[in-house]
Structure formats: C-alpha cells, structure tokens
C-alpha cells in the first residue's frame, strides 16, 4: 500500500499499519520501531505515537512502558471472546438497522454490494475483506445508534484481521457464498424481516469464528 499524508495524519499512519498487520506483512509479536517507521513514512514521532495509541485501542498493538509497541498475538481465547462479543453486537445492530433504515441507506448498501461482488470475482481477498467491513459499517450506520456504532467499530480491525486469515483458506465458491449471504441480509433489511436478517448475520459470524479457530488450531498443534 502506498502511504499518502493527509490532514488526519495519525489516522492515516494507523490505517497504513493496520493494513500491513492484516496482510501479515508485520507479524504477531513483531516489534514496531517508532523511529524506523516514522523515517520510512517521512513523518515526525508525535503523530507516529498517536497512531500507535489508536492501534492499541483496537487491539492490534500492545504498548508496554520501556519496551515499545508490538503487534498483538492471536490466541484461542481471544478469538472466542472477540467473536462472541461481536456476534451479540451484530445481532443487536442488525435488528436496529432493519427497524430504522431509510431508502438512502438501502441505496448505499446495495452500491457497496456491487463493489464487493466485483472484488470477489477478481478473487482480490484483501480488497474484498476491506469492502466487506465497509458494507457492514454502512449497515451499522443505518441503525442510528452512535453508542452501538462506537463499540462495534472498535472491534472491526481485530475482526478484519481474523477474517482475512479465514478468507485466505477459502475457495472462490466460498467467497461467492459470503456475497450471497450479504445480499440476503440486504433484502431482509429492505423487506423489514428482522429475525431472518439477524439469524443470517449471526450464523455467518459463528461460521467464521469456527473456521478461524480451526485454522488457528492447525497452526498451533
């Protein structure tokens, strides 16, 4: 990914590092050397430190006094805990989205689905992963609950990181299946089918959790 400075420099640095962590270009447990990364990006250490604090907040980085920053390790307990919490919040968000969405929301959600299908056809896993969560966040915004939105968005980077691992192990037909489930959820939202949309989303979160756990256990056995 090409780094581009912006007016929100710490956020841009955080996004750049988040993408590298998700792609596993920076490995779990690897140390992030502030001065080295700041020099690479041509930025000062002040926005660099703020970016690392942002990554710590979303559990991608662990900051330790006198030891600096390291990419967080992935453990089985972490996978189970974060997916269980995510599933509950996704269920709640789905119900509110079905109840509160507007026609503009549906148009935006469907437009994102077109992009998601495009990346699935290209088998572009990274951009599919990123667009998947853009779609999810757009659905979340249609719930019109700022507090719920804040809590769910804080979980997204860690869930993205885990989902990317699972996507690398899935076949193209599995990716197409995910798109079809997203389309089904969108149709349910538009038709006001609360239980169906919630069940579909929560079932997919559970499927993904089990797949990530399976992959994790294979690598740790």
């Amino acid at each position: 990914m090409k780094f581009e400075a912006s007016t929100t420099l710490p956020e841009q640095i955080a996004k750049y590092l988040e993408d590298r962590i998700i792609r596993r270009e920076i490995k779990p447990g690897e140390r992030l050397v502030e001065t080295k990364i700041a020099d690479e990006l041509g930025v000062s250490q002040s926005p660099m430190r703020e970016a690392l604090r942002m990554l710590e907040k979303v559990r991608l980085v662990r900051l330790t006094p006198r030891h600096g920053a390291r990419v967080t390790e992935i453990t089985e307990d972490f996978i189970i805990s974060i997916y269980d919490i995510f599933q509950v919040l996704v269920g709640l968000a789905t119900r509110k989205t079905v109840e509160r969405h507007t026609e503009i929301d549906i148009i935006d959600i469907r437009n994102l689905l077109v992009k998601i299908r495009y990346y699935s056809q290209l088998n572009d896993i990274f951009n599919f992963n990123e667009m998947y969560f853009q779609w999810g966040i757009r659905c979340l915004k249609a719930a019109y609950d700022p507090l719920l939105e804040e809590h769910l968005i804080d979980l997204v980077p860690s869930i993205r990181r885990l989902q990317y691992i699972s996507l690398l192990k899935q076949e193209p037909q599995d990716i197409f299946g995910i798109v079809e489930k997203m389309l089904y959820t969108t149709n349910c939202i538009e038709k006001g089918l609360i239980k169906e949309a919630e069940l579909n989303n929560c079932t997919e979160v559970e499927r993904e959790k089990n797949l990530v756990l399976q992959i994790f256990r294979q690598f740790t056995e």
Side-chain angles (χ1 to χ4, degrees), residues 135-158:
W135 174 87
I137 290 171
R138 186 60 187 86
C139 290
L140 172 61
K141 288 183 178 298
Y144 297 99
D145 186 328
L147 185 58
L148 177 59
E149 183 178 325
E150 179 183 346
H151 284 299
L152 262 170
I153 287 178
D154 277 351
L155 297 177
V156 164
S158 289

Side-chain angles (χ1 to χ4, degrees), residues 13-29:
I13 297 168
K15 181 64 170 63
Y16 169 78
L17 293 173
E18 176 185 325
D19 286 350
R20 293 195 65 198
I21 291 169
I22 288 169
R23 287 181 181 271
R24 298 179 69 83
E25 293 172 2
I26 307 175
K27 306 292 185 183

Side-chain angles (χ1 to χ4, degrees), residues 181-198:
K181 290 174 184 176
M182 297 166 77
L183 175 59
Y184 178 77
T185 290
T186 303
N187 290 337
C188 288
I189 292 170
E190 191 168 14
K191 294 175 182 177
L193 302 175
I194 296 174
K195 291 182 179 179
E196 291 84 350
E198 181 184 2

Side-chain angles (χ1 to χ4, degrees), residues 22-172:
I22 288 169
R23 287 181 181 271
R24 298 179 69 83
E25 293 172 2
I26 307 175
K27 306 292 185 183
E30 186 172 336
R31 188 182 173 203
L32 297 171
V33 182
E34 287 183 27
T35 52
K36 180 180 178 182
I37 298 172
D39 286 345
E40 287 175 358
L41 300 180
V43 299
S44 66
Q45 286 189 250
S46 178
M48 183 69 217
R49 291 193 189 101
E50 187 175 344
L52 290 175
R53 286 193 291 269
M54 290 176 180
L55 293 175
E56 183 183 40
K57 182 174 183 287
V58 295
R59 302 166 192 85
L60 292 182
V61 162
R62 182 176 182 180
L63 298 177
T64 306
R66 297 184 299 278
H67 294 283
R70 289 189 183 274
V71 177
T72 53
E73 300 279 2
I74 297 172
T75 67
E76 183 168 332
D77 285 345
F78 176 76
I79 294 168
I80 294 170
S81 179
I82 196 166
Y83 268 109
D84 286 350
I85 294 167
F86 187 67
Q87 186 180 54
V88 171
L89 294 180
V90 164
L92 176 59
T94 302
R95 293 197 300 272
K96 292 194 173 189
T97 296
V98 175
E99 293 170 344
R100 301 177 178 182
H101 72 274
T102 67
E103 290 183 11
I104 295 297
D105 293 324
I106 292 295
I107 291 170
D108 289 346
I109 291 166
R110 289 199 178 278
N111 285 339
L112 285 170
L113 271 177
V114 172
K115 296 179 181 180
I116 291 163
R117 191 178 294 278
Y118 171 75
Y119 287 121
S120 71
Q121 291 169 344
L122 291 180
N123 199 31
D124 184 338
I125 298 302
F126 181 79
N127 281 309
F128 176 89
N129 169 258
E130 184 166 37
M131 195 58 60
Y132 176 98
F133 284 96
Q134 286 189 29
W135 174 87
I137 290 171
R138 186 60 187 86
C139 290
L140 172 61
K141 288 183 178 298
Y144 297 99
D145 186 328
L147 185 58
L148 177 59
E149 183 178 325
E150 179 183 346
H151 284 299
L152 262 170
I153 287 178
D154 277 351
L155 297 177
V156 164
S158 289
I159 296 289
R160 268 195 71 204
R161 183 185 182 192
L162 296 173
Q163 192 209 52
Y164 184 70
I165 294 170
S166 78
L167 290 173
L168 291 174
K169 297 294 182 179
Q170 296 185 62
E171 299 295 331

